[in-house]
Amino acid sequence: MTTHANIALTRFLIEQQRAGRINSELRLLVEVVARACKQISVAVGKGALGGVLGEAGTPGQASINVQGEAQKKLDVISNEILLEANAWGGHLAGLASEEMDTSQPIPDTYPHGNYLLLFDPLDGSSNIDVNVSVGTIFSVLRCPEGVSSPTDADFLQPGTAQVAAGYCVYGPQTTLVLTVGHGTHAFTLDREVGSFLLTSRDIRIPEDTREFAVNMSNQRFWEPPMQDYVADLLAGKEGPRGKDFNMRWVASMVADVHRILTRGGIFSYPLDGKCAAKGGKLRLMYEANPMSFLVEQAGGAASTGRVRMLAVQPAGLHQRVPVFLGSRREVEAAVGYHRDFDARLA
Ligand code: AHG
Ligand code: MN
Ligand code: MN
């Protein structure tokens, strides 16, 4: 990893602005999100000492979010940190979060900006209490022309409309990974100084890989093309793929995607019998789209298995999708199994 020790996120963003790639409003927006991520990083790092572990709600009465999932205390804390940080800066028209039923316009007491911010405040909730990496994922869209108080419908833009996206992974290091549509770049938090420093410019994902990430316990619920694809991966050197594959599954999408940006691989959360009625497990607007933008900007590919992720026209804020992303040729291979299967059916 190349080190650019003297380039802080602030300087990087000013240089992007001078190059005409972002305006001052978007620069401020990214700065504010990064500051919120630093606060979340501190909360995550305190763990049991900060009383932030465990479920939200009262004993015996878990707090359930719009996704139908029990909220952890850190899901709620992270959501509040992001809301509080972004409400007053004047760069946003509205916000939407995995943890909130509907989108929220910026209150009239604050100036309104031209952008919409969407986030998964804390990704990998099942890993909080066991001290394994978690993260924050975010996506930025333009507010439609002439709209100052956006509703959910104004957020329903395909991933290609994103103007910025990123995630912050809270692991052994706190790392912010960002794209404003000109490459994917990583910044590591210098905890003593309190600033994010550029540690990897223009990340490139290797096109080929021998590593896959999937929750294998769902195998029997997968649809046939996914069964066939993974069977061939597992067959290794002796199988049709002609090489041995290794498997990794952190169960925090941020951590799995971070590994793939660092050394390649394919991440998948396919359609399965348990989540089919919902359309998949992962959320298009808060997880799949921002990660797909980052991966494409690093030379990788991202698909639902059948169509390019960023081309999906969202029908709902909390829409779920099947996800395949990472090393370009491996994603193409997985998509090929779906295409062949669909062609046989036709
Ligand atoms: P979240 O914590 O925001 O609900 O997201 C969890 C997601 C994702 O991070 C991860 O890849 C997946 O759920 C883990 O699912 P399994 O429980 O099937 O491992
Ligand atoms: Mn998530
Ligand atoms: Mn979450």
Side-chain angles (χ1 to χ4, degrees):
M1 204 174 260
T2 336
T3 310
H4 310 265
N6 295 321
I7 304 186
L9 177 66
T10 299
R11 174 171 162 191
F12 176 88
L13 291 170
I14 286 175
E15 286 171 0
Q16 295 295 305
Q17 187 183 334
R18 286 186 187 143
R21 294 172 171 178
I22 56 173
N23 58 23
S24 58
E25 209 182 329
L26 185 55
R27 175 166 62 83
L28 178 65
L29 195 168
V30 174
E31 289 266 21
V32 171
V33 171
R35 200 179 311 138
C37 288
K38 276 190 246 176
Q39 272 180 271
I40 298 171
S41 177
V42 169
V44 168
K46 287 205 164 96
L49 301 177
V52 296
L53 303 186
E55 296 200 332
T58 48
Q61 179 111 47
S63 162
I64 306 293
N65 68 9
V66 62
Q67 317 285 336
E69 297 163 347
Q71 287 180 305
K72 302 280 184 178
K73 280 185 194 159
L74 266 173
D75 287 322
V76 176
I77 293 168
S78 307
N79 193 56
E80 279 165 6
I81 289 174
L82 281 157
L83 286 183
E84 215 286 312
N86 282 286
W88 49 268
H91 48 278
L92 285 181
L95 305 114
S97 162
E98 183 189 278
E99 301 297 338
M100 305 191 305
D101 297 7
T102 58
S103 63
Q104 284 194 3
I106 295 297
D108 284 334
T109 39
Y110 298 121
H112 287 209
N114 295 314
Y115 292 104
L116 304 175
L117 176 67
L118 301 95
F119 47 83
D120 175 356
L122 215 282
D123 174 69
S125 308
S126 74
N127 281 324
I128 297 169
D129 294 352
V130 293
N131 197 4
V132 169
S133 297
V134 292
T136 297
I137 311 172
F138 66 94
S139 163
V140 184
L141 296 166
R142 277 195 191 86
C143 188
E145 205 74 34
V147 175
S148 73
S149 221
T151 61
D152 286 4
D154 297 307
F155 286 77
L156 303 183
Q157 307 176 31
T160 46
Q162 293 173 103
V163 293
Y167 65 81
C168 189
V169 58
Y170 314 113
Q173 304 123 43
T174 288
T175 307
L176 180 80
V177 180
L178 174 73
T179 184
V180 293
H182 297 270
T184 295
H185 317 282
F187 302 81
T188 304
L189 181 62
D190 180 329
R191 294 182 208 266
E192 279 81 50
V193 178
S195 74
F196 281 106
L197 298 179
L198 183 62
T199 39
S200 209
R201 194 192 275 275
D202 270 320
I203 296 171
R204 302 309 290 171
I205 302 175
E207 294 194 341
D208 292 298
T209 184
R210 289 167 178 254
E211 204 158 67
F212 69 101
V214 71
N215 184 343
M216 283 295 297
S217 70
N218 292 325
Q219 187 173 24
R220 71 186 190 283
F221 303 111
W222 295 338
E223 52 173 342
M226 183 63 186
Q227 300 272 3
D228 295 346
Y229 169 58
V230 173
D232 287 353
L233 296 182
L234 297 178
K237 237 188 220 127
E238 290 74 39
R241 300 299 307 277
K243 56 180 179 178
D244 289 335
F245 283 81
N246 185 26
M247 197 199 88
R248 286 285 184 276
W249 182 251
V250 181
S252 289
M253 189 190 197
V254 273
D256 283 308
V257 170
H258 194 65
R259 183 187 60 255
I260 286 167
L261 279 167
T262 308
R263 69 176 190 212
I266 181 168
F267 170 91
S268 63
Y269 215 113
L271 213 53
D272 67 47
K274 292 188 295 178
C275 65
K278 293 178 176 170
K281 157 104 186 204
L282 297 175
R283 276 98 354 176
L284 174 63
M285 309 290 289
Y286 316 111
E287 295 168 322
N289 270 346
M291 291 310 205
S292 298
F293 191 18
L294 290 162
V295 163
E296 281 200 5
Q297 284 292 317
S303 170
T304 64
R306 286 171 169 103
V307 293
R308 180 184 173 210
M309 188 65 70
L310 297 183
V312 175
Q313 174 58 49
L317 208 49
H318 300 293
Q319 181 173 340
R320 296 175 190 245
V321 278
V323 176
F324 294 81
L325 58 78
S327 291
R328 191 175 58 78
R329 275 201 280 265
E330 196 52 42
V331 172
E332 284 166 6
V335 170
Y337 282 77
H338 291 78
R339 194 173 39 236
D340 293 350
F341 173 76
D342 293 350
R344 285 199 299 274
L345 281 188

PDB file of all heavy atoms in Angstrom, residues 18-54:
ATOM      1  N   ARG A  18     -10.433  21.846  -6.647  1.00  0.00           N
ATOM      2  CA  ARG A  18      -9.650  22.655  -7.599  1.00  0.00           C
ATOM      3  C   ARG A  18      -9.627  22.015  -8.978  1.00  0.00           C
ATOM      4  O   ARG A  18      -9.560  22.694  -9.998  1.00  0.00           O
ATOM      5  CB  ARG A  18      -8.223  22.833  -7.096  1.00  0.00           C
ATOM      6  CG  ARG A  18      -8.152  23.817  -5.958  1.00  0.00           C
ATOM      7  CD  ARG A  18      -6.709  24.099  -5.567  1.00  0.00           C
ATOM      8  NE  ARG A  18      -6.687  24.917  -4.360  1.00  0.00           N
ATOM      9  CZ  ARG A  18      -5.805  24.789  -3.386  1.00  0.00           C
ATOM     10  NH1 ARG A  18      -4.839  23.882  -3.472  1.00  0.00           N
ATOM     11  NH2 ARG A  18      -5.855  25.575  -2.332  1.00  0.00           N
ATOM     12  N   ALA A  19      -9.689  20.675  -9.008  1.00  0.00           N
ATOM     13  CA  ALA A  19      -9.669  19.965 -10.296  1.00  0.00           C
ATOM     14  C   ALA A  19     -11.058  19.974 -10.940  1.00  0.00           C
ATOM     15  O   ALA A  19     -11.256  19.387 -12.012  1.00  0.00           O
ATOM     16  CB  ALA A  19      -9.186  18.535 -10.085  1.00  0.00           C
ATOM     17  N   GLY A  20     -12.030  20.604 -10.276  1.00  0.00           N
ATOM     18  CA  GLY A  20     -13.381  20.727 -10.832  1.00  0.00           C
ATOM     19  C   GLY A  20     -14.202  19.449 -10.700  1.00  0.00           C
ATOM     20  O   GLY A  20     -15.219  19.285 -11.374  1.00  0.00           O
ATOM     21  N   ARG A  21     -13.790  18.554  -9.823  1.00  0.00           N
ATOM     22  CA  ARG A  21     -14.507  17.283  -9.687  1.00  0.00           C
ATOM     23  C   ARG A  21     -15.629  17.343  -8.663  1.00  0.00           C
ATOM     24  O   ARG A  21     -16.554  16.525  -8.708  1.00  0.00           O
ATOM     25  CB  ARG A  21     -13.510  16.182  -9.284  1.00  0.00           C
ATOM     26  CG  ARG A  21     -12.505  15.917 -10.384  1.00  0.00           C
ATOM     27  CD  ARG A  21     -11.425  14.982  -9.915  1.00  0.00           C
ATOM     28  NE  ARG A  21     -10.586  14.565 -11.022  1.00  0.00           N
ATOM     29  CZ  ARG A  21      -9.532  13.781 -10.901  1.00  0.00           C
ATOM     30  NH1 ARG A  21      -9.188  13.322  -9.714  1.00  0.00           N
ATOM     31  NH2 ARG A  21      -8.832  13.446 -11.951  1.00  0.00           N
ATOM     32  N   ILE A  22     -15.508  18.230  -7.689  1.00  0.00           N
ATOM     33  CA  ILE A  22     -16.573  18.416  -6.692  1.00  0.00           C
ATOM     34  C   ILE A  22     -16.714  19.915  -6.431  1.00  0.00           C
ATOM     35  O   ILE A  22     -15.774  20.676  -6.716  1.00  0.00           O
ATOM     36  CB  ILE A  22     -16.281  17.679  -5.354  1.00  0.00           C
ATOM     37  CG1 ILE A  22     -14.927  18.120  -4.756  1.00  0.00           C
ATOM     38  CG2 ILE A  22     -16.306  16.175  -5.534  1.00  0.00           C
ATOM     39  CD1 ILE A  22     -14.676  17.558  -3.354  1.00  0.00           C
ATOM     40  N   ASN A  23     -17.865  20.312  -5.883  1.00  0.00           N
ATOM     41  CA  ASN A  23     -18.006  21.717  -5.486  1.00  0.00           C
ATOM     42  C   ASN A  23     -17.812  21.821  -3.972  1.00  0.00           C
ATOM     43  O   ASN A  23     -17.638  20.818  -3.286  1.00  0.00           O
ATOM     44  CB  ASN A  23     -19.358  22.273  -5.948  1.00  0.00           C
ATOM     45  CG  ASN A  23     -20.521  21.470  -5.374  1.00  0.00           C
ATOM     46  OD1 ASN A  23     -20.381  20.806  -4.347  1.00  0.00           O
ATOM     47  ND2 ASN A  23     -21.662  21.511  -6.038  1.00  0.00           N
ATOM     48  N   SER A  24     -17.865  23.041  -3.441  1.00  0.00           N
ATOM     49  CA  SER A  24     -17.565  23.216  -2.016  1.00  0.00           C
ATOM     50  C   SER A  24     -18.633  22.557  -1.136  1.00  0.00           C
ATOM     51  O   SER A  24     -18.348  22.090  -0.042  1.00  0.00           O
ATOM     52  CB  SER A  24     -17.434  24.701  -1.679  1.00  0.00           C
ATOM     53  OG  SER A  24     -18.632  25.346  -2.022  1.00  0.00           O
ATOM     54  N   GLU A  25     -19.859  22.506  -1.659  1.00  0.00           N
ATOM     55  CA  GLU A  25     -20.954  21.915  -0.888  1.00  0.00           C
ATOM     56  C   GLU A  25     -20.723  20.402  -0.681  1.00  0.00           C
ATOM     57  O   GLU A  25     -20.883  19.870   0.418  1.00  0.00           O
ATOM     58  CB  GLU A  25     -22.243  22.137  -1.685  1.00  0.00           C
ATOM     59  CG  GLU A  25     -23.494  22.259  -0.859  1.00  0.00           C
ATOM     60  CD  GLU A  25     -24.722  22.438  -1.746  1.00  0.00           C
ATOM     61  OE1 GLU A  25     -24.609  23.039  -2.845  1.00  0.00           O
ATOM     62  OE2 GLU A  25     -25.780  21.958  -1.362  1.00  0.00           O
ATOM     63  N   LEU A  26     -20.316  19.734  -1.767  1.00  0.00           N
ATOM     64  CA  LEU A  26     -20.059  18.292  -1.679  1.00  0.00           C
ATOM     65  C   LEU A  26     -18.817  18.023  -0.820  1.00  0.00           C
ATOM     66  O   LEU A  26     -18.751  17.042  -0.084  1.00  0.00           O
ATOM     67  CB  LEU A  26     -19.907  17.695  -3.094  1.00  0.00           C
ATOM     68  CG  LEU A  26     -19.760  16.181  -3.186  1.00  0.00           C
ATOM     69  CD1 LEU A  26     -20.895  15.448  -2.483  1.00  0.00           C
ATOM     70  CD2 LEU A  26     -19.705  15.732  -4.655  1.00  0.00           C
ATOM     71  N   ARG A  27     -17.859  18.924  -0.919  1.00  0.00           N
ATOM     72  CA  ARG A  27     -16.647  18.788  -0.094  1.00  0.00           C
ATOM     73  C   ARG A  27     -17.025  18.835   1.388  1.00  0.00           C
ATOM     74  O   ARG A  27     -16.603  17.998   2.180  1.00  0.00           O
ATOM     75  CB  ARG A  27     -15.657  19.905  -0.440  1.00  0.00           C
ATOM     76  CG  ARG A  27     -14.424  19.929   0.448  1.00  0.00           C
ATOM     77  CD  ARG A  27     -13.325  20.816  -0.129  1.00  0.00           C
ATOM     78  NE  ARG A  27     -13.702  22.210  -0.248  1.00  0.00           N
ATOM     79  CZ  ARG A  27     -13.641  23.105   0.750  1.00  0.00           C
ATOM     80  NH1 ARG A  27     -13.203  22.738   1.941  1.00  0.00           N
ATOM     81  NH2 ARG A  27     -14.014  24.346   0.552  1.00  0.00           N
ATOM     82  N   LEU A  28     -17.848  19.819   1.734  1.00  0.00           N
ATOM     83  CA  LEU A  28     -18.273  19.962   3.131  1.00  0.00           C
ATOM     84  C   LEU A  28     -19.056  18.732   3.578  1.00  0.00           C
ATOM     85  O   LEU A  28     -18.861  18.215   4.682  1.00  0.00           O
ATOM     86  CB  LEU A  28     -19.137  21.220   3.286  1.00  0.00           C
ATOM     87  CG  LEU A  28     -19.685  21.463   4.698  1.00  0.00           C
ATOM     88  CD1 LEU A  28     -18.567  21.746   5.677  1.00  0.00           C
ATOM     89  CD2 LEU A  28     -20.693  22.610   4.697  1.00  0.00           C
ATOM     90  N   LEU A  29     -19.916  18.245   2.684  1.00  0.00           N
ATOM     91  CA  LEU A  29     -20.726  17.070   3.009  1.00  0.00           C
ATOM     92  C   LEU A  29     -19.829  15.871   3.376  1.00  0.00           C
ATOM     93  O   LEU A  29     -20.026  15.216   4.397  1.00  0.00           O
ATOM     94  CB  LEU A  29     -21.597  16.727   1.793  1.00  0.00           C
ATOM     95  CG  LEU A  29     -22.787  15.784   1.932  1.00  0.00           C
ATOM     96  CD1 LEU A  29     -23.640  15.842   0.684  1.00  0.00           C
ATOM     97  CD2 LEU A  29     -22.377  14.358   2.201  1.00  0.00           C
ATOM     98  N   VAL A  30     -18.828  15.621   2.536  1.00  0.00           N
ATOM     99  CA  VAL A  30     -17.936  14.473   2.800  1.00  0.00           C
ATOM    100  C   VAL A  30     -17.160  14.694   4.104  1.00  0.00           C
ATOM    101  O   VAL A  30     -16.993  13.779   4.910  1.00  0.00           O
ATOM    102  CB  VAL A  30     -16.972  14.224   1.611  1.00  0.00           C
ATOM    103  CG1 VAL A  30     -15.962  13.138   1.948  1.00  0.00           C
ATOM    104  CG2 VAL A  30     -17.764  13.844   0.353  1.00  0.00           C
ATOM    105  N   GLU A  31     -16.728  15.929   4.326  1.00  0.00           N
ATOM    106  CA  GLU A  31     -16.009  16.250   5.576  1.00  0.00           C
ATOM    107  C   GLU A  31     -16.894  15.962   6.798  1.00  0.00           C
ATOM    108  O   GLU A  31     -16.422  15.434   7.796  1.00  0.00           O
ATOM    109  CB  GLU A  31     -15.626  17.737   5.604  1.00  0.00           C
ATOM    110  CG  GLU A  31     -14.519  18.119   4.636  1.00  0.00           C
ATOM    111  CD  GLU A  31     -13.134  18.110   5.271  1.00  0.00           C
ATOM    112  OE1 GLU A  31     -12.955  17.439   6.310  1.00  0.00           O
ATOM    113  OE2 GLU A  31     -12.240  18.769   4.707  1.00  0.00           O
ATOM    114  N   VAL A  32     -18.152  16.337   6.695  1.00  0.00           N
ATOM    115  CA  VAL A  32     -19.065  16.153   7.829  1.00  0.00           C
ATOM    116  C   VAL A  32     -19.315  14.662   8.073  1.00  0.00           C
ATOM    117  O   VAL A  32     -19.319  14.201   9.217  1.00  0.00           O
ATOM    118  CB  VAL A  32     -20.392  16.929   7.600  1.00  0.00           C
ATOM    119  CG1 VAL A  32     -21.426  16.565   8.647  1.00  0.00           C
ATOM    120  CG2 VAL A  32     -20.132  18.429   7.614  1.00  0.00           C
ATOM    121  N   VAL A  33     -19.498  13.904   6.991  1.00  0.00           N
ATOM    122  CA  VAL A  33     -19.699  12.454   7.154  1.00  0.00           C
ATOM    123  C   VAL A  33     -18.450  11.834   7.783  1.00  0.00           C
ATOM    124  O   VAL A  33     -18.538  11.013   8.695  1.00  0.00           O
ATOM    125  CB  VAL A  33     -20.039  11.784   5.799  1.00  0.00           C
ATOM    126  CG1 VAL A  33     -20.019  10.272   5.920  1.00  0.00           C
ATOM    127  CG2 VAL A  33     -21.406  12.254   5.301  1.00  0.00           C
ATOM    128  N   ALA A  34     -17.277  12.256   7.327  1.00  0.00           N
ATOM    129  CA  ALA A  34     -16.021  11.709   7.869  1.00  0.00           C
ATOM    130  C   ALA A  34     -15.896  12.036   9.359  1.00  0.00           C
ATOM    131  O   ALA A  34     -15.460  11.195  10.153  1.00  0.00           O
ATOM    132  CB  ALA A  34     -14.827  12.265   7.097  1.00  0.00           C
ATOM    133  N   ARG A  35     -16.312  13.237   9.738  1.00  0.00           N
ATOM    134  CA  ARG A  35     -16.249  13.623  11.151  1.00  0.00           C
ATOM    135  C   ARG A  35     -17.195  12.751  11.974  1.00  0.00           C
ATOM    136  O   ARG A  35     -16.859  12.281  13.062  1.00  0.00           O
ATOM    137  CB  ARG A  35     -16.606  15.107  11.294  1.00  0.00           C
ATOM    138  CG  ARG A  35     -16.108  15.722  12.594  1.00  0.00           C
ATOM    139  CD  ARG A  35     -16.466  17.207  12.687  1.00  0.00           C
ATOM    140  NE  ARG A  35     -16.116  17.950  11.487  1.00  0.00           N
ATOM    141  CZ  ARG A  35     -16.887  18.884  10.913  1.00  0.00           C
ATOM    142  NH1 ARG A  35     -18.071  19.182  11.427  1.00  0.00           N
ATOM    143  NH2 ARG A  35     -16.493  19.524   9.834  1.00  0.00           N
ATOM    144  N   ALA A  36     -18.384  12.506  11.429  1.00  0.00           N
ATOM    145  CA  ALA A  36     -19.341  11.638  12.128  1.00  0.00           C
ATOM    146  C   ALA A  36     -18.758  10.231  12.281  1.00  0.00           C
ATOM    147  O   ALA A  36     -18.912   9.598  13.329  1.00  0.00           O
ATOM    148  CB  ALA A  36     -20.665  11.601  11.371  1.00  0.00           C
ATOM    149  N   CYS A  37     -18.065   9.754  11.244  1.00  0.00           N
ATOM    150  CA  CYS A  37     -17.461   8.417  11.307  1.00  0.00           C
ATOM    151  C   CYS A  37     -16.393   8.352  12.403  1.00  0.00           C
ATOM    152  O   CYS A  37     -16.238   7.327  13.060  1.00  0.00           O
ATOM    153  CB  CYS A  37     -16.850   8.029   9.954  1.00  0.00           C
ATOM    154  SG  CYS A  37     -18.107   7.652   8.712  1.00  0.00           S
ATOM    155  N   LYS A  38     -15.675   9.456  12.601  1.00  0.00           N
ATOM    156  CA  LYS A  38     -14.680   9.485  13.686  1.00  0.00           C
ATOM    157  C   LYS A  38     -15.378   9.321  15.031  1.00  0.00           C
ATOM    158  O   LYS A  38     -14.905   8.597  15.906  1.00  0.00           O
ATOM    159  CB  LYS A  38     -13.921  10.823  13.678  1.00  0.00           C
ATOM    160  CG  LYS A  38     -12.762  10.848  12.711  1.00  0.00           C
ATOM    161  CD  LYS A  38     -11.928  12.096  12.932  1.00  0.00           C
ATOM    162  CE  LYS A  38     -12.021  13.002  11.729  1.00  0.00           C
ATOM    163  NZ  LYS A  38     -11.311  14.272  11.903  1.00  0.00           N
ATOM    164  N   GLN A  39     -16.521   9.989  15.174  1.00  0.00           N
ATOM    165  CA  GLN A  39     -17.283   9.874  16.426  1.00  0.00           C
ATOM    166  C   GLN A  39     -17.779   8.448  16.628  1.00  0.00           C
ATOM    167  O   GLN A  39     -17.732   7.914  17.727  1.00  0.00           O
ATOM    168  CB  GLN A  39     -18.502  10.799  16.375  1.00  0.00           C
ATOM    169  CG  GLN A  39     -18.249  12.202  16.864  1.00  0.00           C
ATOM    170  CD  GLN A  39     -19.538  13.014  16.757  1.00  0.00           C
ATOM    171  OE1 GLN A  39     -19.797  13.610  15.725  1.00  0.00           O
ATOM    172  NE2 GLN A  39     -20.349  13.013  17.800  1.00  0.00           N
ATOM    173  N   ILE A  40     -18.264   7.827  15.526  1.00  0.00           N
ATOM    174  CA  ILE A  40     -18.765   6.447  15.628  1.00  0.00           C
ATOM    175  C   ILE A  40     -17.601   5.523  15.986  1.00  0.00           C
ATOM    176  O   ILE A  40     -17.738   4.618  16.809  1.00  0.00           O
ATOM    177  CB  ILE A  40     -19.463   6.010  14.315  1.00  0.00           C
ATOM    178  CG1 ILE A  40     -20.688   6.897  14.043  1.00  0.00           C
ATOM    179  CG2 ILE A  40     -19.878   4.541  14.380  1.00  0.00           C
ATOM    180  CD1 ILE A  40     -21.329   6.710  12.671  1.00  0.00           C
ATOM    181  N   SER A  41     -16.447   5.786  15.375  1.00  0.00           N
ATOM    182  CA  SER A  41     -15.251   4.979  15.647  1.00  0.00           C
ATOM    183  C   SER A  41     -14.910   5.009  17.141  1.00  0.00           C
ATOM    184  O   SER A  41     -14.553   3.983  17.738  1.00  0.00           O
ATOM    185  CB  SER A  41     -14.084   5.521  14.813  1.00  0.00           C
ATOM    186  OG  SER A  41     -12.905   4.823  15.095  1.00  0.00           O
ATOM    187  N   VAL A  42     -15.036   6.183  17.751  1.00  0.00           N
ATOM    188  CA  VAL A  42     -14.749   6.316  19.191  1.00  0.00           C
ATOM    189  C   VAL A  42     -15.762   5.502  19.993  1.00  0.00           C
ATOM    190  O   VAL A  42     -15.401   4.742  20.899  1.00  0.00           O
ATOM    191  CB  VAL A  42     -14.767   7.804  19.620  1.00  0.00           C
ATOM    192  CG1 VAL A  42     -14.733   7.941  21.141  1.00  0.00           C
ATOM    193  CG2 VAL A  42     -13.608   8.561  18.978  1.00  0.00           C
ATOM    194  N   ALA A  43     -17.040   5.604  19.612  1.00  0.00           N
ATOM    195  CA  ALA A  43     -18.090   4.860  20.332  1.00  0.00           C
ATOM    196  C   ALA A  43     -17.873   3.352  20.198  1.00  0.00           C
ATOM    197  O   ALA A  43     -17.942   2.615  21.190  1.00  0.00           O
ATOM    198  CB  ALA A  43     -19.463   5.257  19.808  1.00  0.00           C
ATOM    199  N   VAL A  44     -17.567   2.897  18.970  1.00  0.00           N
ATOM    200  CA  VAL A  44     -17.327   1.470  18.735  1.00  0.00           C
ATOM    201  C   VAL A  44     -16.138   1.008  19.578  1.00  0.00           C
ATOM    202  O   VAL A  44     -16.170  -0.048  20.207  1.00  0.00           O
ATOM    203  CB  VAL A  44     -17.053   1.200  17.228  1.00  0.00           C
ATOM    204  CG1 VAL A  44     -16.525  -0.208  17.000  1.00  0.00           C
ATOM    205  CG2 VAL A  44     -18.324   1.427  16.395  1.00  0.00           C
ATOM    206  N   GLY A  45     -15.098   1.833  19.610  1.00  0.00           N
ATOM    207  CA  GLY A  45     -13.857   1.464  20.305  1.00  0.00           C
ATOM    208  C   GLY A  45     -14.006   1.353  21.806  1.00  0.00           C
ATOM    209  O   GLY A  45     -13.237   0.649  22.463  1.00  0.00           O
ATOM    210  N   LYS A  46     -14.993   2.045  22.374  1.00  0.00           N
ATOM    211  CA  LYS A  46     -15.182   1.977  23.837  1.00  0.00           C
ATOM    212  C   LYS A  46     -15.785   0.642  24.246  1.00  0.00           C
ATOM    213  O   LYS A  46     -15.566   0.158  25.351  1.00  0.00           O
ATOM    214  CB  LYS A  46     -16.098   3.114  24.291  1.00  0.00           C
ATOM    215  CG  LYS A  46     -15.418   4.471  24.259  1.00  0.00           C
ATOM    216  CD  LYS A  46     -16.081   5.419  25.251  1.00  0.00           C
ATOM    217  CE  LYS A  46     -15.224   6.630  25.537  1.00  0.00           C
ATOM    218  NZ  LYS A  46     -15.539   7.809  24.765  1.00  0.00           N
ATOM    219  N   GLY A  47     -16.588   0.049  23.382  1.00  0.00           N
ATOM    220  CA  GLY A  47     -17.189  -1.258  23.670  1.00  0.00           C
ATOM    221  C   GLY A  47     -17.889  -1.289  25.012  1.00  0.00           C
ATOM    222  O   GLY A  47     -18.634  -0.371  25.368  1.00  0.00           O
ATOM    223  N   ALA A  48     -17.610  -2.331  25.772  1.00  0.00           N
ATOM    224  CA  ALA A  48     -18.283  -2.529  27.064  1.00  0.00           C
ATOM    225  C   ALA A  48     -18.039  -1.350  28.003  1.00  0.00           C
ATOM    226  O   ALA A  48     -18.897  -1.008  28.825  1.00  0.00           O
ATOM    227  CB  ALA A  48     -17.797  -3.821  27.708  1.00  0.00           C
ATOM    228  N   LEU A  49     -16.867  -0.686  27.882  1.00  0.00           N
ATOM    229  CA  LEU A  49     -16.554   0.438  28.781  1.00  0.00           C
ATOM    230  C   LEU A  49     -17.504   1.617  28.563  1.00  0.00           C
ATOM    231  O   LEU A  49     -17.754   2.392  29.477  1.00  0.00           O
ATOM    232  CB  LEU A  49     -15.104   0.909  28.564  1.00  0.00           C
ATOM    233  CG  LEU A  49     -14.022  -0.143  28.782  1.00  0.00           C
ATOM    234  CD1 LEU A  49     -12.653   0.439  28.471  1.00  0.00           C
ATOM    235  CD2 LEU A  49     -14.083  -0.656  30.224  1.00  0.00           C
ATOM    236  N   GLY A  50     -18.018   1.724  27.341  1.00  0.00           N
ATOM    237  CA  GLY A  50     -18.912   2.846  27.034  1.00  0.00           C
ATOM    238  C   GLY A  50     -20.374   2.463  27.166  1.00  0.00           C
ATOM    239  O   GLY A  50     -21.259   3.278  26.876  1.00  0.00           O
ATOM    240  N   GLY A  51     -20.633   1.232  27.536  1.00  0.00           N
ATOM    241  CA  GLY A  51     -22.026   0.775  27.670  1.00  0.00           C
ATOM    242  C   GLY A  51     -22.759   0.748  26.343  1.00  0.00           C
ATOM    243  O   GLY A  51     -23.975   0.918  26.290  1.00  0.00           O
ATOM    244  N   VAL A  52     -22.006   0.530  25.237  1.00  0.00           N
ATOM    245  CA  VAL A  52     -22.647   0.615  23.916  1.00  0.00           C
ATOM    246  C   VAL A  52     -22.953  -0.763  23.314  1.00  0.00           C
ATOM    247  O   VAL A  52     -23.462  -0.849  22.200  1.00  0.00           O
ATOM    248  CB  VAL A  52     -21.773   1.413  22.912  1.00  0.00           C
ATOM    249  CG1 VAL A  52     -21.620   2.859  23.360  1.00  0.00           C
ATOM    250  CG2 VAL A  52     -20.404   0.761  22.705  1.00  0.00           C
ATOM    251  N   LEU A  53     -22.641  -1.844  24.037  1.00  0.00           N
ATOM    252  CA  LEU A  53     -22.900  -3.175  23.467  1.00  0.00           C
ATOM    253  C   LEU A  53     -24.353  -3.587  23.720  1.00  0.00           C
ATOM    254  O   LEU A  53     -25.053  -2.975  24.517  1.00  0.00           O
ATOM    255  CB  LEU A  53     -21.937  -4.200  24.074  1.00  0.00           C
ATOM    256  CG  LEU A  53     -20.435  -3.893  23.899  1.00  0.00           C
ATOM    257  CD1 LEU A  53     -19.585  -5.057  24.417  1.00  0.00           C
ATOM    258  CD2 LEU A  53     -20.088  -3.597  22.443  1.00  0.00           C
ATOM    259  N   GLY A  54     -24.780  -4.626  23.020  1.00  0.00           N
ATOM    260  CA  GLY A  54     -26.105  -5.189  23.266  1.00  0.00           C
ATOM    261  C   GLY A  54     -27.210  -4.528  22.473  1.00  0.00           C
ATOM    262  O   GLY A  54     -26.975  -3.652  21.640  1.00  0.00           O
TER     263      GLY A  54
END
